[in-house]
């Protein structure tokens, strides 16, 4: 699911005198490519050869997306559906705080015709792929049947598969992504999937792993970092990496950067521990700035050096 993220910088005027609502004055607007789009753009800047598929509407945000991807070397397939809007999230901010978010989205599954096009496109390029990444926001681009077909074909081709399924303001199920190499849910997303608000984090991760059949879980804990429940030397081990940025400016996009950097590490032969550390560093870089800006290899290298020399 691709998203256009709009940041509207505003002046907080205070409480309205007519009714008990907060009044703001918009000052300027900035738009960024978000969702699966920024995952693809992160990947390109980190050195990968990216093939990207998504569905948009036929509207102004679609034009912005097309223009943005023309400036990259990403092989993009942007399928248009005139019956749905391009996902647009508008955040009204004042003094580095988000006051309100307005979502113009569709949560209706894409047509069977579009699903067939996506599957055919994937099968056509699968022989050239090392890794398949699902960046799911539960806005209808990935019906469960399509997910199953894509994963089945990826497994036949020995392609690594990673998945993230966001459920921040909507309901999703990360366990739909069966038998993949790595999933990266938040604690809330894991609990939604498991329908479990009682178990401790490790037991929650174990239950989700058993339910989904995945090999590794990075359980995102926000300001507390990430809990790892991972397979190493044929044994499952648990560890936690604390958040590597204690003063975030904008937490949007942290999971996207962790997902793509982890995927590229795994595809490059990194250990699961190296993968988790670099993914956490990428997330720390992302939250240090406002808006989705692609992370570069140089930023990752600089973060690794800073971490090493701070010890």
């Amino acid at each position: 699911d691709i998203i256009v993220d709009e940041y509207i910088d505003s002046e907080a005027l205070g409480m309205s005198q007519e009714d008990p609502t907060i009044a703001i004055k918009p000052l300027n607007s900035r738009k960024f490519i978000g969702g699966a789009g920024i995952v693809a753009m992160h990947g390109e800047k980190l050195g990968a050869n990216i093939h990207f598929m998504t569905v948009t509407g036929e509207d102004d945000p679609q034009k912005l997306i097309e223009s943005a991807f023309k400036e990259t070397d990403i092989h993009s397939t942007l399928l248009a559906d005139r019956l749905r809007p391009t996902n647009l999230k508008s955040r009204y901010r004042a003094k580095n705080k988000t006051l309100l978010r307005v979502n113009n989205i569709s949560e209706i599954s894409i047509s069977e015709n579009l699903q067939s096009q996506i599957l055919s496109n994937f099968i056509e390029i699968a022989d050239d792929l090392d890794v398949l990444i699902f960046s799911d926001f539960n806005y209808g681009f990935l019906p469960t049947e399509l997910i199953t077909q894509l994963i089945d074909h990826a497994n036949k081709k020995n392609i690594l598969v990673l998945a993230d399924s966001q459920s921040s303001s909507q309901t999703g199920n990360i366990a739909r992504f069966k038998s993949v190499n790595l999933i990266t849910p938040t604690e809330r997303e894991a609990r939604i999937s498991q329908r479990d608000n009682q178990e401790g984090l490790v037991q929650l991760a174990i239950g989700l792993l058993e339910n989904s059949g995945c090999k590794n879980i990075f359980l995102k804990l926000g300001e507390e970092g990430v809990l790892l429940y991972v397979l190493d030397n044929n044994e499952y081990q648990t560890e936690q990496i604390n958040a590597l940025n204690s003063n975030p400016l904008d937490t949007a996009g942290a999971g996207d950067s962790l997902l793509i950097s982890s995927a590229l590490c795994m595809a490059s032969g990194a250990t699961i521990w190296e993968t988790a550390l670099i993914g956490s560093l990428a997330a720390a870089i992302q939250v240090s700035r406002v808006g989705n800006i692609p992370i570069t290899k140089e930023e990752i290298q600089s973060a690794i050096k800073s971490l090493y020399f701070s010890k």
Side-chain angles (χ1 to χ4, degrees):
D1 293 296
I2 195 166
I3 299 168
V4 173
D5 287 314
E6 180 181 28
Y7 287 75
I8 303 167
D9 295 320
S10 309
E11 178 184 352
L13 301 179
M15 188 68 71
S16 169
Q17 298 303 308
E18 288 79 17
D19 51 48
T21 58
I22 297 173
I24 62 172
K25 177 183 178 181
L27 301 176
N28 60 70
S29 171
R30 296 167 290 163
K31 293 185 174 70
F32 302 90
I33 302 300
I38 191 60
V39 173
M41 290 182 171
H42 284 318
E44 184 206 20
K45 289 296 184 182
L46 292 172
N49 183 18
I50 300 289
H51 293 263
F52 174 62
M53 287 187 282
T54 194
V55 173
T56 70
E58 293 182 350
D59 45 26
D60 288 339
Q62 176 213 27
K63 296 174 184 177
L64 173 67
I65 291 168
E66 288 182 338
S67 176
F69 275 96
K70 284 179 180 177
E71 296 179 4
T72 73
D73 292 325
I74 296 171
H75 307 281
S76 57
T77 301
L78 307 177
L79 302 173
D81 182 352
R82 62 182 179 83
L83 299 179
R84 61 194 297 125
T86 302
N87 298 316
L88 174 65
K89 294 183 179 180
S90 300
R91 294 173 174 85
Y92 291 82
R93 293 174 60 86
K95 296 183 178 179
N96 291 323
K97 301 292 183 182
T98 298
L99 306 177
L100 173 69
R101 190 173 80 182
V102 180
N103 292 348
N104 182 26
I105 59 175
S106 171
E107 296 177 289
I108 300 173
S109 295
I110 59 175
S111 68
E112 291 185 2
N113 180 53
L114 285 173
Q115 293 179 51
S116 295
Q117 289 185 56
I118 292 163
L119 180 61
S120 296
N121 288 346
F122 176 73
I123 291 173
E124 184 177 337
I125 63 175
D127 286 340
D128 296 326
L129 302 182
D130 299 302
V131 59
L132 168 63
I133 304 169
F134 291 101
S135 180
D136 178 30
F137 284 75
N138 294 287
Y139 297 151
F141 176 66
L142 289 169
T144 300
E145 183 178 354
L146 177 59
I147 291 171
T148 300
Q149 292 172 324
L150 291 167
I151 293 175
D152 285 348
H153 193 76
N155 288 338
K156 291 176 183 176
K157 297 291 183 177
N158 294 317
I159 298 170
L160 288 169
V161 184
L162 293 87
D164 188 25
S165 183
Q166 189 181 109
S167 304
S168 61
S169 57
Q170 63 286 339
T171 300
N173 183 6
I174 187 65
R176 295 193 303 148
F177 298 89
K178 302 292 186 182
S179 303
V180 305
N181 298 88
L182 173 66
I183 55 176
T184 60
T186 64
E187 178 186 351
R188 178 178 182 271
E189 290 158 0
R191 292 195 183 281
I192 288 174
S193 176
Q194 293 300 99
R195 300 179 182 178
D196 179 358
N197 291 317
Q198 303 297 323
E199 289 285 6
L201 295 177
V202 174
Q203 288 302 315
L204 178 67
I206 292 172
L208 179 55
L209 183 140
E210 292 174 348
N211 188 18
S212 65
C214 71
K215 294 182 177 66
N216 301 283
I217 295 177
F218 292 174
L219 190 63
K220 296 176 293 190
L221 305 176
E223 63 186 14
E224 295 181 15
V226 58
L227 177 76
L228 315 178
Y229 189 71
V230 298
L231 187 61
D232 183 39
N233 292 325
N234 297 317
E235 292 184 1
Y236 275 98
Q237 300 186 38
T238 304
E239 189 55 83
Q240 182 169 346
I241 298 177
N242 294 328
L244 301 179
N245 187 328
S246 59
N247 188 30
L249 294 180
D250 180 14
T251 58
D256 301 327
S257 55
L258 181 145
L259 175 66
I260 180 62
S261 55
S262 297
L264 298 186
C265 284
M266 293 185 75
S268 300
T271 69
I272 195 65
W273 308 109
E274 293 166 338
T275 295
L277 178 57
I278 291 178
S280 297
L281 285 171
I285 294 168
Q286 180 61 40
V287 302
S288 68
R289 53 211 184 187
V290 175
N292 279 322
I293 301 170
I295 293 171
T296 66
K297 290 182 290 185
E298 291 75 20
E299 287 178 302
I300 294 285
Q301 290 165 348
S302 177
I304 292 171
K305 290 178 182 178
S306 296
L307 188 65
Y308 176 78
F309 287 115
S310 67
K311 300 299 182 181

